[in-house]
Amino acid sequence: QVQLVESGGGLVQGGASLRLSCAASGRTFSSYAMGWFRQAPGKEREIVAAISSSGGRTYYAGSVKSRFTISRDNAKNTMYLQMNSLKPEDTAVYYCAAPPRTGWINLAGLYEYDYWGQGTQVTVSS
């Protein structure tokens, strides 16, 4: 079984930065792509960013591109999301996710991901 645990969320002011972490266990982390998703109250879950197993391919939602950076440290079985210049509209529960298979996937596709963490709350005030 795969276990994913997010951390690093919190309450910050607009313009501040946060770094989210996702620690994975239960399988060979370095063989799998990973993604960050978020869900605001009353809205659908949406892709934020994703990264291939090697880190060679990345995807960013247009709303976060140039502000957020996804990365991974395979030696630590951990994925990160560096969030800069945070805005109130970034407020959401952030989830990390992993696909059930290795190989080439559509990094932005919700349907590709079967394993999910519990989420970490990010709240950005004005």
Side-chain angles (χ1 to χ4, degrees), residues 50-59 72 104 107:
I51 188 167
S52 63
S53 59
S54 68
R57 293 190 299 123
T58 58
Y59 172 86
R72 63 191 297 159
W104 189 277
L107 293 176

Side-chain angles (χ1 to χ4, degrees), residues 95-116:
Y95 300 89
C96 79
R101 64 181 180 88
T102 62
W104 189 277
I105 68 165
N106 176 10
L107 293 176
L110 247 175
Y111 62 89
E112 296 276 19
Y113 300 88
D114 279 358
Y115 299 99
W116 298 84

Side-chain angles (χ1 to χ4, degrees), residues 71-92:
S71 63
R72 63 191 297 159
D73 186 340
N74 286 343
K76 295 182 178 180
N77 284 6
T78 303
M79 175 180 66
Y80 304 97
L81 184 68
Q82 180 65 48
M83 309 165 68
N84 297 327
S85 301
L86 283 162
K87 304 175 181 180
E89 47 264 49
D90 295 318
T91 296

Side-chain angles (χ1 to χ4, degrees), residues 1-7 21-30 32-37 45 72 76-79 94-100 112-120:
Q1 181 66 292
V2 177
Q3 183 177 1
L4 304 173
V5 180
E6 304 96 335
S7 62
S21 298
C22 174
S25 62
R27 70 180 186 183
T28 305
F29 177 78
S30 62
Y32 295 83
M34 298 285 290
W36 285 102
F37 296 79
R45 190 168 299 186
R72 63 191 297 159
K76 295 182 178 180
N77 284 6
T78 303
M79 175 180 66
Y94 284 70
Y95 300 89
C96 79
E112 296 276 19
Y113 300 88
D114 279 358
Y115 299 99
W116 298 84
Q118 295 183 23
T120 185

